[in-house]
Amino acid sequence: MSTPQTDQSELSCPSCGGQCVYDPNVQMLTCTSCGTTQGLESPWDSAASAETDYRADTPETLPPDLPDMRAHSCETCGGEVVFTGASLSDRCPYCDGAVVLSTTDHGYRTTALIPFRVAEQAAQTHALDWVRGRIAAPSGLSETVEKGRVAGLYAPFWTFDSQEAVDYWASYTTGSGKNRTKRRTSGQMKIGFDDLLMPASPHVTPLIRDGILHQFDPRRLRPYRAGYLAGFAAERHHQSVAQGLGANEADKRLLIRNRIKANIGKSGVSDIIFNTDTTGIRYRRILLPVWILHYRWKDQPMKVVVSGLDGRTFGERPFCPRKLTYYAAAVSLAVIAFGLLWGAGAAP
């Protein structure tokens, strides 16, 4: 991340001196005054996917204090986001709460990002299509969502590589009924994690990570430049590598448990205990693009998230009790009818 002065100068139009914003439709900076476009390609683009070795015995450089980047703190959820160039909103992209200028903002330098590839209008269309496809949705939901506010955000993520040498002990079952037996087993295995995507902020909820951003192509990474952020909000990285590894330890252990189950290859695997020796840790601090559409249903805040990478959509939605009752009754009738037909067909 370059100095704030250099970051801001990149956003000025070379033709008229006006303010530029990043346009996902053309993948360029576009002047809001005269429409002039300028590319953001650089000779260092191919190096953006490079990873950094992590050594626990080598302390990281202290995070720089960069207050001139105009970080804003949300009064509702506590999230801190940075607005580069002209601020397009005074609302938090995570929860739609009011944001105020922070007095200080400490953060680690972001190494790379993937620029938005889905524009705002396309994101709204994806969100509406997702809502319209929901079963048992209340009447008027589409109209309410159509009036919702869409916010573009670069959310902070880690990618981690590691090699795991695992020793495990577990139980599994054989047979059935009275012959059902529980047996013990143990073993060793090696697991390699490559580009394991993990959130770098508590504000990156499972709705965002697991719903739409669980896959990404590191070849699309680009060096951090203010031009890519122009017109969007971004949350800065605030975790050290050790903190990032610790915050995501539970998720990694769950993945290891699942690999152990698959390695055992038996039914009813349980009581898994394991130790792992982790080596070869490499990481990236990156930003990934996401659109968040905020709406309220009967005074309950809800959101639909759309991946800024490919338009993948997931969200929160209300249900209509009357329609749920109707669908439940229809399913029950279908099961009863199937049972009757099956019985009639089996009768001599």
Side-chain angles (χ1 to χ4, degrees), residues 91-122:
R91 312 297 296 180
C92 174
Y94 282 120
C95 73
D96 206 33
V99 295
V100 297
L101 189 66
S102 296
T103 55
T104 60
D105 178 40
H106 299 269
Y108 291 91
R109 295 183 184 275
T110 300
T111 56
L113 57 80
I114 298 184
F116 272 87
R117 301 176 68 88
V118 177
E120 180 176 354
Q121 187 57 51

PDB file of all heavy atoms in Angstrom, residues 91-122:
ATOM      1  N   ARG A  91     -23.012   4.884   5.352  1.00  0.00           N
ATOM      2  CA  ARG A  91     -23.579   3.711   5.992  1.00  0.00           C
ATOM      3  C   ARG A  91     -22.549   2.580   5.965  1.00  0.00           C
ATOM      4  O   ARG A  91     -21.729   2.478   5.054  1.00  0.00           O
ATOM      5  CB  ARG A  91     -24.858   3.228   5.280  1.00  0.00           C
ATOM      6  CG  ARG A  91     -25.870   4.303   4.978  1.00  0.00           C
ATOM      7  CD  ARG A  91     -26.428   4.966   6.227  1.00  0.00           C
ATOM      8  NE  ARG A  91     -27.176   4.028   7.060  1.00  0.00           N
ATOM      9  CZ  ARG A  91     -27.766   4.379   8.204  1.00  0.00           C
ATOM     10  NH1 ARG A  91     -27.653   5.623   8.667  1.00  0.00           N
ATOM     11  NH2 ARG A  91     -28.447   3.496   8.898  1.00  0.00           N
ATOM     12  N   CYS A  92     -22.620   1.705   6.977  1.00  0.00           N
ATOM     13  CA  CYS A  92     -21.713   0.565   7.046  1.00  0.00           C
ATOM     14  C   CYS A  92     -22.139  -0.503   6.032  1.00  0.00           C
ATOM     15  O   CYS A  92     -23.304  -0.911   6.023  1.00  0.00           O
ATOM     16  CB  CYS A  92     -21.730  -0.022   8.460  1.00  0.00           C
ATOM     17  SG  CYS A  92     -20.788  -1.551   8.632  1.00  0.00           S
ATOM     18  N   PRO A  93     -21.221  -0.983   5.191  1.00  0.00           N
ATOM     19  CA  PRO A  93     -21.606  -2.017   4.226  1.00  0.00           C
ATOM     20  C   PRO A  93     -21.957  -3.349   4.874  1.00  0.00           C
ATOM     21  O   PRO A  93     -22.675  -4.158   4.300  1.00  0.00           O
ATOM     22  CB  PRO A  93     -20.368  -2.142   3.331  1.00  0.00           C
ATOM     23  CG  PRO A  93     -19.250  -1.604   4.139  1.00  0.00           C
ATOM     24  CD  PRO A  93     -19.836  -0.555   5.026  1.00  0.00           C
ATOM     25  N   TYR A  94     -21.435  -3.603   6.095  1.00  0.00           N
ATOM     26  CA  TYR A  94     -21.713  -4.869   6.764  1.00  0.00           C
ATOM     27  C   TYR A  94     -23.131  -4.920   7.336  1.00  0.00           C
ATOM     28  O   TYR A  94     -23.842  -5.915   7.187  1.00  0.00           O
ATOM     29  CB  TYR A  94     -20.720  -5.108   7.900  1.00  0.00           C
ATOM     30  CG  TYR A  94     -19.366  -5.586   7.447  1.00  0.00           C
ATOM     31  CD1 TYR A  94     -18.224  -4.843   7.719  1.00  0.00           C
ATOM     32  CD2 TYR A  94     -19.218  -6.786   6.758  1.00  0.00           C
ATOM     33  CE1 TYR A  94     -16.971  -5.284   7.315  1.00  0.00           C
ATOM     34  CE2 TYR A  94     -17.975  -7.223   6.346  1.00  0.00           C
ATOM     35  CZ  TYR A  94     -16.856  -6.474   6.629  1.00  0.00           C
ATOM     36  OH  TYR A  94     -15.625  -6.919   6.227  1.00  0.00           O
ATOM     37  N   CYS A  95     -23.546  -3.853   8.049  1.00  0.00           N
ATOM     38  CA  CYS A  95     -24.825  -3.918   8.771  1.00  0.00           C
ATOM     39  C   CYS A  95     -25.759  -2.768   8.456  1.00  0.00           C
ATOM     40  O   CYS A  95     -26.863  -2.710   9.003  1.00  0.00           O
ATOM     41  CB  CYS A  95     -24.567  -3.976  10.279  1.00  0.00           C
ATOM     42  SG  CYS A  95     -24.015  -2.395  10.978  1.00  0.00           S
ATOM     43  N   ASP A  96     -25.349  -1.830   7.614  1.00  0.00           N
ATOM     44  CA  ASP A  96     -26.149  -0.672   7.232  1.00  0.00           C
ATOM     45  C   ASP A  96     -26.282   0.354   8.359  1.00  0.00           C
ATOM     46  O   ASP A  96     -27.121   1.238   8.310  1.00  0.00           O
ATOM     47  CB  ASP A  96     -27.549  -1.084   6.745  1.00  0.00           C
ATOM     48  CG  ASP A  96     -28.147  -0.054   5.796  1.00  0.00           C
ATOM     49  OD1 ASP A  96     -27.373   0.579   5.052  1.00  0.00           O
ATOM     50  OD2 ASP A  96     -29.373   0.123   5.810  1.00  0.00           O
ATOM     51  N   GLY A  97     -25.455   0.243   9.401  1.00  0.00           N
ATOM     52  CA  GLY A  97     -25.468   1.223  10.477  1.00  0.00           C
ATOM     53  C   GLY A  97     -24.724   2.487  10.089  1.00  0.00           C
ATOM     54  O   GLY A  97     -23.970   2.523   9.114  1.00  0.00           O
ATOM     55  N   ALA A  98     -24.919   3.555  10.872  1.00  0.00           N
ATOM     56  CA  ALA A  98     -24.238   4.810  10.599  1.00  0.00           C
ATOM     57  C   ALA A  98     -22.749   4.690  10.899  1.00  0.00           C
ATOM     58  O   ALA A  98     -22.343   4.012  11.840  1.00  0.00           O
ATOM     59  CB  ALA A  98     -24.847   5.929  11.446  1.00  0.00           C
ATOM     60  N   VAL A  99     -21.909   5.325  10.073  1.00  0.00           N
ATOM     61  CA  VAL A  99     -20.472   5.316  10.297  1.00  0.00           C
ATOM     62  C   VAL A  99     -19.982   6.728  10.582  1.00  0.00           C
ATOM     63  O   VAL A  99     -20.540   7.705  10.090  1.00  0.00           O
ATOM     64  CB  VAL A  99     -19.701   4.731   9.086  1.00  0.00           C
ATOM     65  CG1 VAL A  99     -20.023   3.270   8.890  1.00  0.00           C
ATOM     66  CG2 VAL A  99     -20.007   5.507   7.817  1.00  0.00           C
ATOM     67  N   VAL A 100     -18.955   6.815  11.403  1.00  0.00           N
ATOM     68  CA  VAL A 100     -18.355   8.101  11.742  1.00  0.00           C
ATOM     69  C   VAL A 100     -16.855   8.007  11.529  1.00  0.00           C
ATOM     70  O   VAL A 100     -16.270   6.924  11.584  1.00  0.00           O
ATOM     71  CB  VAL A 100     -18.651   8.495  13.216  1.00  0.00           C
ATOM     72  CG1 VAL A 100     -20.134   8.680  13.429  1.00  0.00           C
ATOM     73  CG2 VAL A 100     -18.122   7.435  14.185  1.00  0.00           C
ATOM     74  N   LEU A 101     -16.204   9.139  11.272  1.00  0.00           N
ATOM     75  CA  LEU A 101     -14.777   9.165  11.030  1.00  0.00           C
ATOM     76  C   LEU A 101     -14.026   8.707  12.265  1.00  0.00           C
ATOM     77  O   LEU A 101     -14.260   9.197  13.366  1.00  0.00           O
ATOM     78  CB  LEU A 101     -14.338  10.582  10.649  1.00  0.00           C
ATOM     79  CG  LEU A 101     -12.902  10.738  10.152  1.00  0.00           C
ATOM     80  CD1 LEU A 101     -12.728  10.020   8.824  1.00  0.00           C
ATOM     81  CD2 LEU A 101     -12.571  12.216  10.003  1.00  0.00           C
ATOM     82  N   SER A 102     -13.123   7.732  12.092  1.00  0.00           N
ATOM     83  CA  SER A 102     -12.325   7.242  13.213  1.00  0.00           C
ATOM     84  C   SER A 102     -11.199   8.216  13.518  1.00  0.00           C
ATOM     85  O   SER A 102     -10.658   8.876  12.627  1.00  0.00           O
ATOM     86  CB  SER A 102     -11.725   5.873  12.880  1.00  0.00           C
ATOM     87  OG  SER A 102     -12.738   4.916  12.696  1.00  0.00           O
ATOM     88  N   THR A 103     -10.819   8.292  14.787  1.00  0.00           N
ATOM     89  CA  THR A 103      -9.708   9.164  15.162  1.00  0.00           C
ATOM     90  C   THR A 103      -8.382   8.533  14.793  1.00  0.00           C
ATOM     91  O   THR A 103      -7.425   9.211  14.447  1.00  0.00           O
ATOM     92  CB  THR A 103      -9.737   9.447  16.672  1.00  0.00           C
ATOM     93  OG1 THR A 103      -9.750   8.195  17.385  1.00  0.00           O
ATOM     94  CG2 THR A 103     -10.991  10.226  17.031  1.00  0.00           C
ATOM     95  N   THR A 104      -8.291   7.192  14.846  1.00  0.00           N
ATOM     96  CA  THR A 104      -7.083   6.477  14.433  1.00  0.00           C
ATOM     97  C   THR A 104      -7.482   5.208  13.713  1.00  0.00           C
ATOM     98  O   THR A 104      -8.586   4.700  13.882  1.00  0.00           O
ATOM     99  CB  THR A 104      -6.205   6.097  15.640  1.00  0.00           C
ATOM    100  OG1 THR A 104      -6.949   5.247  16.518  1.00  0.00           O
ATOM    101  CG2 THR A 104      -5.746   7.334  16.397  1.00  0.00           C
ATOM    102  N   ASP A 105      -6.552   4.716  12.909  1.00  0.00           N
ATOM    103  CA  ASP A 105      -6.809   3.452  12.222  1.00  0.00           C
ATOM    104  C   ASP A 105      -5.476   2.752  12.007  1.00  0.00           C
ATOM    105  O   ASP A 105      -4.639   3.233  11.261  1.00  0.00           O
ATOM    106  CB  ASP A 105      -7.501   3.689  10.877  1.00  0.00           C
ATOM    107  CG  ASP A 105      -7.738   2.395  10.129  1.00  0.00           C
ATOM    108  OD1 ASP A 105      -8.106   1.405  10.778  1.00  0.00           O
ATOM    109  OD2 ASP A 105      -7.544   2.377   8.904  1.00  0.00           O
ATOM    110  N   HIS A 106      -5.259   1.663  12.705  1.00  0.00           N
ATOM    111  CA  HIS A 106      -4.037   0.884  12.575  1.00  0.00           C
ATOM    112  C   HIS A 106      -4.348  -0.362  11.754  1.00  0.00           C
ATOM    113  O   HIS A 106      -5.343  -1.040  12.002  1.00  0.00           O
ATOM    114  CB  HIS A 106      -3.512   0.470  13.950  1.00  0.00           C
ATOM    115  CG  HIS A 106      -3.176   1.641  14.834  1.00  0.00           C
ATOM    116  ND1 HIS A 106      -1.925   2.206  14.882  1.00  0.00           N
ATOM    117  CD2 HIS A 106      -3.949   2.353  15.686  1.00  0.00           C
ATOM    118  CE1 HIS A 106      -1.931   3.207  15.736  1.00  0.00           C
ATOM    119  NE2 HIS A 106      -3.141   3.316  16.245  1.00  0.00           N
ATOM    120  N   GLY A 107      -3.513  -0.655  10.790  1.00  0.00           N
ATOM    121  CA  GLY A 107      -3.764  -1.838  10.001  1.00  0.00           C
ATOM    122  C   GLY A 107      -2.508  -2.364   9.349  1.00  0.00           C
ATOM    123  O   GLY A 107      -1.541  -1.632   9.135  1.00  0.00           O
ATOM    124  N   TYR A 108      -2.509  -3.663   9.032  1.00  0.00           N
ATOM    125  CA  TYR A 108      -1.411  -4.260   8.291  1.00  0.00           C
ATOM    126  C   TYR A 108      -1.613  -4.001   6.804  1.00  0.00           C
ATOM    127  O   TYR A 108      -2.739  -3.863   6.325  1.00  0.00           O
ATOM    128  CB  TYR A 108      -1.357  -5.765   8.547  1.00  0.00           C
ATOM    129  CG  TYR A 108      -0.933  -6.129   9.942  1.00  0.00           C
ATOM    130  CD1 TYR A 108      -1.867  -6.316  10.954  1.00  0.00           C
ATOM    131  CD2 TYR A 108       0.411  -6.290  10.247  1.00  0.00           C
ATOM    132  CE1 TYR A 108      -1.481  -6.655  12.234  1.00  0.00           C
ATOM    133  CE2 TYR A 108       0.813  -6.639  11.531  1.00  0.00           C
ATOM    134  CZ  TYR A 108      -0.139  -6.808  12.519  1.00  0.00           C
ATOM    135  OH  TYR A 108       0.254  -7.145  13.780  1.00  0.00           O
ATOM    136  N   ARG A 109      -0.523  -3.978   6.097  1.00  0.00           N
ATOM    137  CA  ARG A 109      -0.587  -3.667   4.674  1.00  0.00           C
ATOM    138  C   ARG A 109      -1.165  -4.844   3.878  1.00  0.00           C
ATOM    139  O   ARG A 109      -0.689  -5.963   3.982  1.00  0.00           O
ATOM    140  CB  ARG A 109       0.805  -3.316   4.155  1.00  0.00           C
ATOM    141  CG  ARG A 109       1.367  -2.044   4.785  1.00  0.00           C
ATOM    142  CD  ARG A 109       2.725  -1.688   4.190  1.00  0.00           C
ATOM    143  NE  ARG A 109       3.281  -0.524   4.876  1.00  0.00           N
ATOM    144  CZ  ARG A 109       2.999   0.738   4.547  1.00  0.00           C
ATOM    145  NH1 ARG A 109       2.166   0.970   3.550  1.00  0.00           N
ATOM    146  NH2 ARG A 109       3.531   1.738   5.209  1.00  0.00           N
ATOM    147  N   THR A 110      -2.170  -4.544   3.074  1.00  0.00           N
ATOM    148  CA  THR A 110      -2.756  -5.541   2.183  1.00  0.00           C
ATOM    149  C   THR A 110      -1.798  -5.782   1.016  1.00  0.00           C
ATOM    150  O   THR A 110      -1.253  -4.837   0.452  1.00  0.00           O
ATOM    151  CB  THR A 110      -4.107  -5.044   1.650  1.00  0.00           C
ATOM    152  OG1 THR A 110      -4.991  -4.825   2.747  1.00  0.00           O
ATOM    153  CG2 THR A 110      -4.717  -6.046   0.692  1.00  0.00           C
ATOM    154  N   THR A 111      -1.597  -7.046   0.660  1.00  0.00           N
ATOM    155  CA  THR A 111      -0.651  -7.360  -0.408  1.00  0.00           C
ATOM    156  C   THR A 111      -1.317  -7.451  -1.774  1.00  0.00           C
ATOM    157  O   THR A 111      -0.686  -7.148  -2.789  1.00  0.00           O
ATOM    158  CB  THR A 111       0.069  -8.684  -0.113  1.00  0.00           C
ATOM    159  OG1 THR A 111      -0.896  -9.716   0.082  1.00  0.00           O
ATOM    160  CG2 THR A 111       0.930  -8.557   1.136  1.00  0.00           C
ATOM    161  N   ALA A 112      -2.573  -7.881  -1.825  1.00  0.00           N
ATOM    162  CA  ALA A 112      -3.213  -8.078  -3.127  1.00  0.00           C
ATOM    163  C   ALA A 112      -4.730  -8.076  -2.967  1.00  0.00           C
ATOM    164  O   ALA A 112      -5.258  -8.167  -1.858  1.00  0.00           O
ATOM    165  CB  ALA A 112      -2.751  -9.397  -3.755  1.00  0.00           C
ATOM    166  N   LEU A 113      -5.407  -7.988  -4.096  1.00  0.00           N
ATOM    167  CA  LEU A 113      -6.869  -8.042  -4.102  1.00  0.00           C
ATOM    168  C   LEU A 113      -7.329  -8.581  -5.447  1.00  0.00           C
ATOM    169  O   LEU A 113      -6.565  -8.641  -6.411  1.00  0.00           O
ATOM    170  CB  LEU A 113      -7.467  -6.654  -3.838  1.00  0.00           C
ATOM    171  CG  LEU A 113      -7.080  -5.494  -4.763  1.00  0.00           C
ATOM    172  CD1 LEU A 113      -7.863  -5.505  -6.077  1.00  0.00           C
ATOM    173  CD2 LEU A 113      -7.314  -4.155  -4.070  1.00  0.00           C
ATOM    174  N   ILE A 114      -8.590  -8.991  -5.499  1.00  0.00           N
ATOM    175  CA  ILE A 114      -9.230  -9.308  -6.777  1.00  0.00           C
ATOM    176  C   ILE A 114     -10.261  -8.221  -7.033  1.00  0.00           C
ATOM    177  O   ILE A 114     -11.166  -8.019  -6.219  1.00  0.00           O
ATOM    178  CB  ILE A 114      -9.897 -10.686  -6.769  1.00  0.00           C
ATOM    179  CG1 ILE A 114      -8.850 -11.782  -6.525  1.00  0.00           C
ATOM    180  CG2 ILE A 114     -10.608 -10.941  -8.100  1.00  0.00           C
ATOM    181  CD1 ILE A 114      -9.402 -13.192  -6.584  1.00  0.00           C
ATOM    182  N   PRO A 115     -10.141  -7.465  -8.127  1.00  0.00           N
ATOM    183  CA  PRO A 115     -11.076  -6.366  -8.388  1.00  0.00           C
ATOM    184  C   PRO A 115     -12.500  -6.867  -8.639  1.00  0.00           C
ATOM    185  O   PRO A 115     -12.721  -8.023  -9.010  1.00  0.00           O
ATOM    186  CB  PRO A 115     -10.510  -5.715  -9.654  1.00  0.00           C
ATOM    187  CG  PRO A 115      -9.106  -6.202  -9.758  1.00  0.00           C
ATOM    188  CD  PRO A 115      -9.091  -7.562  -9.152  1.00  0.00           C
ATOM    189  N   PHE A 116     -13.455  -5.977  -8.410  1.00  0.00           N
ATOM    190  CA  PHE A 116     -14.848  -6.279  -8.726  1.00  0.00           C
ATOM    191  C   PHE A 116     -14.978  -6.611 -10.202  1.00  0.00           C
ATOM    192  O   PHE A 116     -14.444  -5.928 -11.071  1.00  0.00           O
ATOM    193  CB  PHE A 116     -15.735  -5.067  -8.413  1.00  0.00           C
ATOM    194  CG  PHE A 116     -16.234  -5.011  -6.996  1.00  0.00           C
ATOM    195  CD1 PHE A 116     -15.478  -4.407  -6.013  1.00  0.00           C
ATOM    196  CD2 PHE A 116     -17.463  -5.564  -6.660  1.00  0.00           C
ATOM    197  CE1 PHE A 116     -15.933  -4.347  -4.708  1.00  0.00           C
ATOM    198  CE2 PHE A 116     -17.922  -5.515  -5.357  1.00  0.00           C
ATOM    199  CZ  PHE A 116     -17.161  -4.902  -4.375  1.00  0.00           C
ATOM    200  N   ARG A 117     -15.725  -7.673 -10.484  1.00  0.00           N
ATOM    201  CA  ARG A 117     -16.052  -8.059 -11.856  1.00  0.00           C
ATOM    202  C   ARG A 117     -17.560  -7.995 -12.109  1.00  0.00           C
ATOM    203  O   ARG A 117     -18.012  -8.150 -13.238  1.00  0.00           O
ATOM    204  CB  ARG A 117     -15.541  -9.473 -12.145  1.00  0.00           C
ATOM    205  CG  ARG A 117     -14.024  -9.622 -11.966  1.00  0.00           C
ATOM    206  CD  ARG A 117     -13.575 -11.061 -12.174  1.00  0.00           C
ATOM    207  NE  ARG A 117     -13.738 -11.480 -13.557  1.00  0.00           N
ATOM    208  CZ  ARG A 117     -12.829 -11.307 -14.499  1.00  0.00           C
ATOM    209  NH1 ARG A 117     -11.680 -10.704 -14.204  1.00  0.00           N
ATOM    210  NH2 ARG A 117     -13.040 -11.719 -15.724  1.00  0.00           N
ATOM    211  N   VAL A 118     -18.325  -7.817 -11.036  1.00  0.00           N
ATOM    212  CA  VAL A 118     -19.785  -7.705 -11.128  1.00  0.00           C
ATOM    213  C   VAL A 118     -20.159  -6.288 -10.729  1.00  0.00           C
ATOM    214  O   VAL A 118     -19.805  -5.822  -9.636  1.00  0.00           O
ATOM    215  CB  VAL A 118     -20.480  -8.719 -10.211  1.00  0.00           C
ATOM    216  CG1 VAL A 118     -22.000  -8.541 -10.250  1.00  0.00           C
ATOM    217  CG2 VAL A 118     -20.105 -10.143 -10.612  1.00  0.00           C
ATOM    218  N   ALA A 119     -20.879  -5.575 -11.599  1.00  0.00           N
ATOM    219  CA  ALA A 119     -21.268  -4.201 -11.332  1.00  0.00           C
ATOM    220  C   ALA A 119     -22.511  -4.143 -10.440  1.00  0.00           C
ATOM    221  O   ALA A 119     -23.200  -5.147 -10.229  1.00  0.00           O
ATOM    222  CB  ALA A 119     -21.527  -3.460 -12.646  1.00  0.00           C
ATOM    223  N   GLU A 120     -22.811  -2.944  -9.934  1.00  0.00           N
ATOM    224  CA  GLU A 120     -23.900  -2.785  -8.973  1.00  0.00           C
ATOM    225  C   GLU A 120     -25.243  -3.233  -9.535  1.00  0.00           C
ATOM    226  O   GLU A 120     -26.006  -3.936  -8.872  1.00  0.00           O
ATOM    227  CB  GLU A 120     -23.984  -1.327  -8.527  1.00  0.00           C
ATOM    228  CG  GLU A 120     -25.100  -1.065  -7.516  1.00  0.00           C
ATOM    229  CD  GLU A 120     -25.113   0.364  -7.012  1.00  0.00           C
ATOM    230  OE1 GLU A 120     -24.183   1.131  -7.350  1.00  0.00           O
ATOM    231  OE2 GLU A 120     -26.052   0.728  -6.279  1.00  0.00           O
ATOM    232  N   GLN A 121     -25.567  -2.818 -10.765  1.00  0.00           N
ATOM    233  CA  GLN A 121     -26.866  -3.182 -11.334  1.00  0.00           C
ATOM    234  C   GLN A 121     -26.992  -4.689 -11.500  1.00  0.00           C
ATOM    235  O   GLN A 121     -28.046  -5.274 -11.222  1.00  0.00           O
ATOM    236  CB  GLN A 121     -27.054  -2.485 -12.688  1.00  0.00           C
ATOM    237  CG  GLN A 121     -28.441  -2.660 -13.288  1.00  0.00           C
ATOM    238  CD  GLN A 121     -29.556  -2.167 -12.374  1.00  0.00           C
ATOM    239  OE1 GLN A 121     -29.498  -1.039 -11.879  1.00  0.00           O
ATOM    240  NE2 GLN A 121     -30.559  -2.998 -12.130  1.00  0.00           N
ATOM    241  N   ALA A 122     -25.913  -5.344 -11.916  1.00  0.00           N
ATOM    242  CA  ALA A 122     -25.940  -6.802 -12.049  1.00  0.00           C
ATOM    243  C   ALA A 122     -26.100  -7.461 -10.688  1.00  0.00           C
ATOM    244  O   ALA A 122     -26.797  -8.475 -10.552  1.00  0.00           O
ATOM    245  CB  ALA A 122     -24.664  -7.290 -12.731  1.00  0.00           C
TER     246      ALA A 122
END
